Amino acid sequence: MASLAQQFAGLRCPPISISGLTERGATFSKPKRAANLVVTAKAVAISNAQTKEREKLKQLFEEAYERCRTAPMEGVSFTLEDFHSSLDAYDFNSEIGTRVKGTVFMTDNNGALVDITAKSSAYLPVQEASIHRIKRPEEAGIFPGMREEFVIIGENEADDSLILSLRSIQYELVWERCRQLQAEDVTVKGKVVGGNKGGLVAVVEGLRGFVPFSQISSKSTAEELLDKELPLKFVDVDEEQSRLILSNRKAMADSQAQLGIGSVVTGTVQSLKPYGAFIDIGGINGLLHVSQISHDRVSDIATVLQPGDTLKVMILSHDRERGRVSLSTKKLEPTPGDMIRNPKLVFEKAEEMAQTFRQRIAQAEAMARADMLRFQPESGLTLSSDGILGPLNSDLPAEGLDLSDDAPPANESDGISEKESD
């Protein structure tokens, strides 16, 4: 035992090295610390970059502030005047009565939405789309994409949108048109749409005007003239008072003044009587007597004419004082009886036959004047072969020419000659 103890006592164990353990521990912890060092380095790099960016932005702001303080317009192409011009382009006057340009971008049965470059779209009600009564905007030619000038007439308080009108602008144009027609003394057509004890209400150029009964040429009642068109002239055009006074009598007087004997006019058969037919020739009633319908005998007018027929007639006479006009188709017949057998041919040759008739009348009158000049050689006038009065020449006898043999038979001419000879 003692020897064994001595043997153990002789054994010496080396001391445990703490540094070794520490080195091992350090060896195991090295990867974690390296990763931390990499992350830290990256964070530091990002932080430095952000700092530099902030510094750069700070410097830019400071430079910009300094420029704004010392030279605000340096290097700027957009001037202050340009800025105000841009504001004016988008500035909007929404006062009632202001005219604005707009583009229609949507329509429905009640109206149309219009872009007028305001903060909200404007609305055009269908009743403000035209001076005529319409049910849909399309009836007035209003479709998406149409650009037009409108006038502001109100504001919708519910959504602050503006209410537009085309009708107001159209009324202004129509009143101006009526003033122009009045200045030019033009005859227009007006449709009778109503009446009262004082006269008729007629629509002219889209406006409702009043025609007093004292200014109506016929003795027809308001009921008889309802829905008919009358020739009218302007008497009073007052837009401020919304007063439009018209005259049918004045228009008829001017029309009658233009009716020349021998002229051809187009008329419509109004009614038939046993003695003839009444023809409407532009608002004037003329009588086509049964004896002036054709060279052949007409026993029943209804076999030749019917109410509503359109035909060409020639003016035979016009009594302006009594307001009577005599008409004829007989004088327009190329051959006797054509009005009964072939009235279409009569109307086709009407102007040609009327010209021939007028020439015959002119020749008859010229011959009558020539007969009178035969007994007045001292006048120094004679009649040429064309029926023109002129000075005598050396080739003609001083007493004038005797053209009575060439004159067509005319009772009036014979009567004049007999009186002169007496």
Side-chain angles (χ1 to χ4, degrees):
M1 286 295 291
S3 59
L4 184 60
Q6 292 175 351
Q7 292 178 0
F8 277 104
L11 295 174
R12 292 179 180 270
C13 294
I16 300 174
S17 176
I18 298 176
S19 62
L21 294 174
T22 303
E23 290 176 0
R24 288 181 185 177
T27 303
F28 289 113
S29 62
K30 274 183 179 179
K32 185 175 182 181
R33 289 182 61 189
N36 290 336
L37 290 174
V38 173
V39 172
T40 302
K42 290 182 177 179
V44 171
I46 293 173
S47 176
N48 291 338
Q50 291 176 344
T51 301
K52 291 180 180 179
E53 187 68 24
R54 290 193 188 97
E55 290 294 334
K56 185 177 180 181
L57 289 175
K58 180 181 179 182
Q59 183 179 359
L60 289 175
F61 280 121
E62 289 176 351
E63 292 175 355
Y65 172 77
E66 186 66 19
R67 285 198 305 271
C68 291
R69 189 177 66 83
T70 59
M73 301 307 296
E74 182 181 353
V76 179
S77 60
F78 191 77
T79 64
L80 187 61
E81 289 76 11
D82 295 334
F83 177 70
H84 286 304
S85 298
S86 298
L87 288 180
D88 292 339
Y90 289 94
D91 190 17
F92 196 81
N93 184 4
S94 60
E95 294 183 0
I96 292 178
T98 302
R99 293 195 179 194
V100 294
K101 288 280 189 178
T103 304
V104 177
F105 65 89
M106 190 177 75
T107 61
D108 58 23
N109 290 340
N110 298 320
L113 288 174
V114 184
D115 178 16
I116 54 174
T117 65
K119 61 182 180 180
S120 61
S121 60
Y123 188 65
L124 175 69
V126 66
Q127 61 268 23
E128 292 294 332
S130 174
I131 60 176
H132 305 288
R133 291 185 179 181
I134 59 174
K135 296 182 179 180
R136 296 173 57 87
E138 290 79 5
E139 296 178 19
I142 299 174
F143 296 92
M146 184 196 79
R147 184 166 179 80
E148 190 57 80
E149 185 179 46
F150 303 85
V151 61
I152 300 174
I153 62 172
E155 183 177 356
N156 189 348
E157 297 180 356
D159 56 2
D160 292 333
S161 63
L162 298 175
I163 301 176
L164 306 178
S165 174
L166 280 174
R167 187 164 72 101
S168 299
I169 296 178
Q170 292 174 0
Y171 268 125
E172 292 181 12
L173 295 175
V174 168
W175 278 106
E176 179 62 29
R177 170 67 174 164
C178 289
R179 284 192 291 269
Q180 180 182 357
L181 293 174
Q182 181 189 27
E184 297 176 358
D185 198 28
V186 176
T187 300
V188 297
K189 288 287 187 178
K191 184 177 181 180
V192 179
V193 295
N196 52 40
K197 294 181 179 179
L200 304 175
V201 178
V203 176
V204 176
E205 298 290 330
L207 295 177
R208 296 168 72 91
F210 184 67
V211 188
F213 278 125
S214 61
Q215 293 298 319
I216 298 176
S217 60
S218 68
K219 297 182 180 180
S220 303
T221 63
E223 291 76 12
E224 293 173 341
L225 295 174
L226 190 64
D227 294 329
K228 292 186 178 180
E229 285 192 345
L230 298 177
L232 301 168
K233 282 202 171 188
F234 295 93
V235 176
D236 187 13
V237 180
D238 190 340
E239 181 179 2
E240 293 183 359
Q241 300 295 328
S242 296
R243 183 171 61 241
L244 185 65
I245 308 299
L246 306 164
S247 173
N248 169 249
R249 184 179 296 276
K250 186 178 178 182
M252 296 300 295
D254 290 351
S255 298
Q256 291 177 1
Q258 298 175 2
L259 295 178
I261 305 302
S263 60
V264 176
V265 294
T266 301
T268 303
V269 179
Q270 295 296 307
S271 60
L272 301 180
K273 302 295 181 181
Y275 51 85
F278 283 98
I279 313 296
D280 178 11
I281 48 174
I284 302 173
N285 281 328
L287 174 63
L288 176 61
H289 195 270
V290 62
S291 63
Q292 287 296 328
I293 294 178
S294 176
H295 285 84
D296 288 358
R297 183 175 180 276
V298 177
S299 57
D300 186 2
I301 300 177
T303 60
V304 183
L305 301 174
Q306 286 293 323
D309 288 351
T310 300
L311 71 165
K312 290 184 178 181
V313 292
M314 189 176 70
I315 309 296
L316 280 185
S317 65
H318 182 199
D319 186 347
R320 290 183 175 84
E321 293 183 359
R322 304 176 67 182
R324 294 182 179 180
V325 180
S326 298
L327 309 173
S328 174
T329 54
K330 174 181 178 180
K331 304 296 184 183
L332 302 178
E333 289 183 320
T335 55
D338 281 344
M339 191 60 195
I340 299 174
R341 296 187 297 270
N342 190 3
K344 184 178 179 180
L345 176 63
V346 175
F347 303 148
E348 289 177 353
K349 299 284 188 178
E351 284 76 12
E352 179 182 339
M353 296 302 299
Q355 178 65 23
T356 302
F357 176 79
R358 288 192 294 269
Q359 290 176 352
R360 290 174 55 193
I361 295 296
Q363 289 175 359
E365 292 176 349
M367 297 308 172
R369 289 196 299 271
D371 285 342
M372 297 176 64
L373 289 174
R374 283 189 309 165
F375 304 99
Q376 299 176 3
E378 64 278 4
S379 65
L381 297 177
T382 187
L383 193 70
S384 69
S385 59
D386 296 327
I388 301 175
L389 286 175
L392 289 168
N393 56 46
S394 58
D395 297 333
L396 297 176
E399 65 272 13
L401 291 177
D402 184 2
L403 302 178
S404 58
D405 294 339
D406 298 330
N411 295 331
E412 295 181 358
S413 300
D414 295 339
I416 293 175
S417 301
E418 291 174 0
K419 289 181 182 179
E420 293 294 340
S421 60
D422 295 335

Coordinates of all heavy atoms in Angstrom, one line a residue, residues 14 20 31 39 49 62 73 80 90 97 150 153 183 189 198 249 279 301 362 368 377 384 409-410:
P14 N 0.1 17.6 -15.3 CA 0.3 19.0 -15.7 C -1.0 19.8 -15.4 O -2.1 19.3 -15.5 CB 0.5 18.9 -17.2 CG -0.1 17.7 -17.6 CD 0.0 16.7 -16.5
G20 N -6.3 27.3 -22.9 CA -6.7 26.4 -24.0 C -8.2 26.3 -24.1 O -8.7 26.2 -25.2
P31 N -17.4 32.3 -36.1 CA -18.3 32.5 -37.3 C -19.4 33.5 -36.9 O -19.8 34.4 -37.7 CB -18.9 31.1 -37.6 CG -17.8 30.2 -37.1 CD -17.2 30.8 -35.9
V39 N -22.6 42.6 -40.9 CA -23.9 43.3 -40.8 C -23.6 44.7 -40.3 O -24.2 45.7 -40.9 CB -24.9 42.6 -39.9 CG1 -26.1 43.4 -39.6 CG2 -25.3 41.2 -40.5
A49 N -24.3 56.5 -46.5 CA -24.9 56.9 -47.8 C -26.1 57.8 -47.6 O -26.3 58.8 -48.3 CB -25.3 55.7 -48.6
E62 N -30.9 74.6 -49.9 CA -30.3 75.8 -49.5 C -29.9 76.7 -50.7 O -30.2 77.9 -50.7 CB -29.0 75.6 -48.6 CG -29.3 75.0 -47.2 CD -28.0 74.7 -46.5 OE1 -26.9 74.7 -47.1 OE2 -28.1 74.4 -45.3
M73 N -36.3 84.4 -60.9 CA -36.6 84.1 -62.3 C -35.4 83.7 -63.1 O -35.6 83.5 -64.3 CB -37.3 85.3 -62.9 CG -38.6 85.7 -62.2 SD -39.8 84.4 -61.9 CE -40.2 84.0 -63.6
L80 N -43.8 85.0 -65.4 CA -45.0 85.4 -64.6 C -46.2 85.7 -65.5 O -47.3 85.3 -65.2 CB -44.7 86.5 -63.7 CG -45.7 86.9 -62.6 CD1 -46.0 85.7 -61.7 CD2 -45.3 88.2 -61.9
Y90 N -58.0 79.2 -67.9 CA -58.8 78.3 -67.1 C -59.8 79.0 -66.1 O -60.5 78.4 -65.4 CB -58.0 77.3 -66.3 CG -57.3 76.2 -67.2 CD1 -56.0 76.4 -67.7 CD2 -58.0 75.1 -67.6 CE1 -55.4 75.5 -68.5 CE2 -57.4 74.2 -68.5 CZ -56.1 74.4 -68.9 OH -55.6 73.5 -69.8
G97 N -76.0 85.1 -68.3 CA -75.9 85.9 -69.5 C -74.5 85.8 -70.2 O -74.4 86.3 -71.3
F150 N -72.8 78.6 -76.1 CA -74.0 78.5 -75.3 C -74.0 79.8 -74.4 O -73.0 80.5 -74.3 CB -74.0 77.3 -74.3 CG -73.8 76.0 -75.0 CD1 -72.6 75.5 -75.4 CD2 -75.0 75.3 -75.3 CE1 -72.5 74.3 -76.0 CE2 -74.9 74.0 -76.0 CZ -73.6 73.6 -76.3
I153 N -77.8 80.5 -68.2 CA -79.1 81.1 -67.8 C -79.4 80.8 -66.4 O -80.4 81.2 -65.9 CB -80.2 80.6 -68.7 CG1 -80.3 79.0 -68.7 CG2 -80.0 81.0 -70.2 CD1 -81.6 78.5 -69.4
A183 N -86.1 95.9 -93.0 CA -85.4 97.0 -93.6 C -85.4 96.8 -95.1 O -85.4 97.8 -95.9 CB -84.0 97.0 -93.1
K189 N -93.4 84.2 -95.8 CA -94.6 83.3 -95.5 C -94.7 83.1 -94.0 O -93.8 82.8 -93.3 CB -94.4 82.0 -96.3 CG -94.5 82.1 -97.8 CD -96.0 82.2 -98.2 CE -96.1 82.1 -99.7 NZ -97.5 82.3 -100.1
G198 N -109.1 90.3 -82.2 CA -108.3 91.4 -82.9 C -107.6 91.0 -84.1 O -107.3 91.8 -85.0
R249 N -102.1 92.6 -95.8 CA -102.6 93.6 -96.8 C -101.5 94.2 -97.6 O -101.5 94.4 -98.8 CB -103.5 94.6 -96.2 CG -104.1 95.6 -97.1 CD -105.0 96.6 -96.4 NE -106.1 96.0 -95.7 CZ -107.3 95.7 -96.3 NH1 -107.4 96.0 -97.6 NH2 -108.2 95.0 -95.6
I279 N -109.0 80.9 -108.8 CA -107.6 80.4 -108.7 C -106.8 81.2 -107.7 O -106.9 82.5 -107.8 CB -107.0 80.5 -110.1 CG1 -107.9 79.9 -111.2 CG2 -105.6 79.8 -110.1 CD1 -108.2 78.4 -111.0
I301 N -117.3 72.6 -116.1 CA -115.9 72.9 -115.7 C -115.3 71.8 -115.0 O -114.1 71.6 -115.0 CB -116.0 74.2 -114.8 CG1 -116.6 75.3 -115.6 CG2 -114.6 74.5 -114.3 CD1 -116.8 76.6 -114.7
A362 N -98.6 94.0 -128.4 CA -97.7 95.2 -128.7 C -97.8 95.7 -130.1 O -97.8 96.9 -130.3 CB -96.2 94.8 -128.4
A368 N -102.0 100.9 -133.8 CA -103.0 101.9 -133.4 C -102.3 103.3 -133.3 O -102.9 104.3 -133.7 CB -103.7 101.6 -132.1
P377 N -98.1 114.3 -139.3 CA -96.7 114.2 -139.8 C -95.8 115.2 -139.2 O -94.6 115.0 -139.2 CB -96.9 114.4 -141.3 CG -98.2 115.2 -141.4 CD -99.0 114.7 -140.3
S384 N -91.0 101.9 -136.9 CA -90.2 101.0 -137.6 C -90.8 99.6 -137.8 O -91.9 99.4 -137.3 CB -88.9 100.8 -136.8 OG -89.1 100.1 -135.6
P409 N -107.3 92.3 -136.7 CA -108.6 92.9 -136.3 C -108.7 93.2 -134.8 O -108.5 92.4 -134.0 CB -109.6 91.9 -136.8 CG -108.8 90.6 -136.8 CD -107.5 91.0 -137.2
A410 N -109.1 94.4 -134.5 CA -109.3 94.8 -133.1 C -110.3 95.9 -133.1 O -110.1 97.0 -133.7 CB -107.9 95.3 -132.5

